[in-house]
């Protein structure tokens, strides 16, 4: 069975919201009909990441390489060349780069141009409306309709920790 076409060979997720970034790792791990490789970018040289991306599976399946802490990769010539050589249509290897920072380095901007980008900023403590919007969105994602005052209750008793909020929403479901 041929793999579905996705939005290019790179998915770049960045920001300070750890829960949503961790969800992107799980998304990468759940890719059907592909060989999944999850690595930590911290302390890895570029050429090692490129080598992992270029390894083919014995059964001919396409590959997803999830690189957590991609912001800690130097971005030397091997990885730059790999990104430059990939075309937007070539999704035989999909790299899911998780950057736990709000700043997107040039290396990953170039990759995102051939795929897609998702920004998950951490809400500031005074941005309670944004926090409540995320709570409502997570509830909808789980198929739950929240009454108007429930996000206020969550915010008061749980705070802005989205992971804990989602855990409570799962219990409600």
């Amino acid at each position: 069975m041929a793999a579905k076409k996705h939005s290019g060979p790179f998915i770049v997720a960045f920001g300070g919201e750890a829960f949503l970034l961790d969800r992107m790792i799980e998304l990468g791990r759940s890719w059907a009909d592909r060989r999944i490789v999850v690595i930590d970018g911290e302390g890895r040289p570029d050429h090692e990441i490129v080598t992992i991306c270029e390894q083919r599976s014995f059964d001919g399946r396409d590959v997803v390489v999830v690189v957590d802490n991609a912001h800690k990769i130097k971005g030397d010539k091997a990885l730059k060349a790999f990104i430059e050589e990939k075309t937007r249509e070539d999704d035989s290897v999909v790299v899911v780069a998780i950057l736990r920072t709000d700043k997107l380095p040039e290396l990953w901007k170039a990759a995102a141009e051939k795929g897609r980008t998702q920004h998950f900023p951490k809400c500031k403590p005074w941005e309670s409306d944004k926090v409540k919007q995320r709570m409502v969105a997570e509830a909808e994602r789980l198929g739950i309709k929240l009454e108007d005052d429930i996000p206020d209750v969550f915010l008061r008793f749980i705070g802005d920790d989205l992971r804990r909020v989602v855990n409570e929403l799962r219990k409600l479901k």
Side-chain angles (χ1 to χ4, degrees), residues 27-141:
L27 170 76
R29 285 185 173 148
S30 68
W31 223 297
D33 299 326
R34 288 188 179 243
R35 183 173 64 92
I36 312 299
V37 180
V38 180
I39 60 174
D40 191 337
E42 186 170 9
R44 289 200 190 251
D46 287 32
H47 66 86
E48 185 177 329
I49 292 168
V50 172
T51 299
I52 291 168
C53 290
E54 291 177 341
Q55 289 176 348
R56 303 307 301 162
S57 62
F58 289 114
D59 58 6
R61 290 183 296 164
D62 290 337
V63 179
V64 174
V65 179
V66 180
V67 184
D68 195 7
N69 293 313
H71 60 285
K72 295 188 177 186
I73 297 171
K74 290 182 183 178
D76 294 335
K77 61 184 176 183
L79 190 53
K80 284 180 184 176
F82 177 79
I83 291 170
E84 286 176 16
E85 291 171 6
K86 293 291 278 182
T87 64
R88 186 172 177 78
E89 295 75 31
D90 179 9
D91 68 352
S92 59
V93 175
V94 175
V95 177
V96 180
I98 310 296
L99 293 86
R100 297 179 184 275
T101 179
D102 277 317
K103 212 172 224 184
L104 192 57
E106 291 300 318
L107 173 74
W108 295 110
K109 280 182 189 176
E113 289 174 4
K114 295 182 178 185
R116 66 181 168 133
T117 308
Q118 292 193 300
H119 186 206
F120 300 117
K122 178 79 172 155
C123 293
K124 309 289 188 262
W126 58 86
E127 295 178 319
S128 59
D129 286 342
K130 285 184 181 179
V131 172
K132 289 188 273 186
Q133 287 173 354
R134 281 194 177 157
M135 290 177 188
V136 170
E138 288 301 317
E140 288 173 357
R141 189 175 170 278

